[in-house]
């Protein structure tokens, strides 16, 4: 993550179900944060579109998780259980974060 040991780690958890068409924008916005200590977890909730291919294209820059379709709450719970962050930001796959979102949240804490 490349941040000083004293920095809070921010986990950005993206839940996805058949949003392959917008998933790349959501992931790019999470990876493009100005705050350095960010982990990006993408939970696919049983998609049948090209979402898996989109996720695989990011290699080790994201933590991909796959589950059978169990709903948004289940996807967020799985992402939360696998997160290492001190701070959690939940993001839907059809949304995007401004580049300063993680830094703003940490500063507010």
């Amino acid at each position: 993550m490349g941040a000083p040991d004293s920095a809070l780690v921010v986990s950005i958890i993206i839940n996805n179900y058949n949003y392959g068409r917008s998933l790349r924008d959501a992931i790019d916005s999470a990876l493009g944060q100005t705050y350095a200590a960010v982990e990006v977890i993408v939970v696919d909730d049983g998609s049948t579109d090209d979402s898996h291919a989109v996720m695989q294209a990011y290699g080790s820059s994201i933590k991909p998780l796959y589950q059978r379709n169990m709903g948004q709450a289940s996807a967020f719970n799985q992402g939360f259980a696998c997160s290492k962050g001190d701070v959690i930001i939940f993001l839907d796959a059809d949304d995007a974060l401004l580049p300063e979102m993680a830094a703003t949240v940490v500063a507010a804490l």
Side-chain angles (χ1 to χ4, degrees), residues 7-19:
L8 295 176
V9 174
V10 176
S11 295
I12 300 174
I13 302 170
I14 302 171
N15 82 95
N16 176 67
Y17 177 70
N18 286 337
Y19 276 104

Side-chain angles (χ1 to χ4, degrees), residues 22-87:
S22 59
L23 181 57
R24 187 171 279 103
D25 291 336
I27 294 172
D28 287 346
S29 76
L31 291 173
Q33 293 298 298
T34 60
Y35 188 78
V38 170
E39 74 169 344
V40 178
I41 300 169
V42 183
V43 184
D44 184 78
D45 189 38
S47 292
T48 57
D49 65 356
D50 66 337
S51 294
H52 291 190
V54 171
M55 292 167 66
Q56 290 169 355
Y58 285 90
S60 64
S61 61
I62 66 168
K63 181 175 187 176
L65 302 174
Y66 303 94
Q67 66 179 32
R68 65 181 172 81
N69 183 251
M70 297 188 296
Q72 182 181 39
S74 175
F76 277 144
N77 286 337
Q78 182 180 4
F80 181 80
C82 294
S83 69
K84 305 281 189 238
D86 303 295
V87 179

